[in-house]
Amino acid sequence: MNADYRWYVVRSKPGQTKRAVQELQNQGFEVFCPSITVEHIRAGKRVTCVEPLFPGYVFIELSELTSNWRPIRSTRGVAQILSFGDKPAVVPDDV
């Protein structure tokens, strides 16, 4: 990871987390979407599924100086970059 790159949070549209990840990766962005294996009972049978650990959220590595942020907002499956006020929310390095 380059020194000026940080992790940010992108909120996906409902039910489109996987699509957002794929579309962002297709554009060359480094994306992280942690997942968890869970068991559900469906039709009386135990089914194992892989689901996002944080449904509706994707982490993306960007540089404030060199990354082109504009295509992110119009990416299929993406609702917005999580922000506080007018500044994108940075995920602390220790997280």
Side-chain angles (χ1 to χ4, degrees):
M1 180 170 99
N2 197 331
D4 64 328
Y5 276 77
R6 306 287 303 270
W7 287 99
Y8 297 88
V9 182
V10 171
R11 189 170 61 83
S12 65
K13 293 179 181 175
Q16 296 190 33
T17 302
K18 288 181 183 178
R19 183 179 198 176
V21 168
Q22 187 63 48
E23 294 291 334
L24 289 166
Q25 288 175 336
N26 288 346
Q27 294 176 56
F29 291 109
E30 183 70 30
V31 179
F32 178 61
C33 183
S35 59
I36 187 169
T37 302
V38 295
E39 290 184 348
H40 296 286
I41 304 294
R42 292 195 181 133
K45 295 187 179 186
R46 189 177 304 255
V47 179
T48 303
C49 300
V50 177
E51 297 179 352
L53 184 59
F54 305 107
Y57 295 95
V58 175
F59 299 93
I60 185 169
E61 189 178 39
L62 299 166
S63 166
E64 285 190 46
L65 304 173
T66 59
S67 295
N68 183 4
W69 294 54
R70 289 191 176 185
I72 298 170
R73 289 183 299 167
S74 59
T75 299
R76 289 181 177 171
V78 170
Q80 68 185 60
I81 297 175
L82 196 65
S83 300
F84 295 109
D86 61 344
K87 291 203 60 114
V90 176
V91 177
D93 291 335
D94 58 342
V95 174

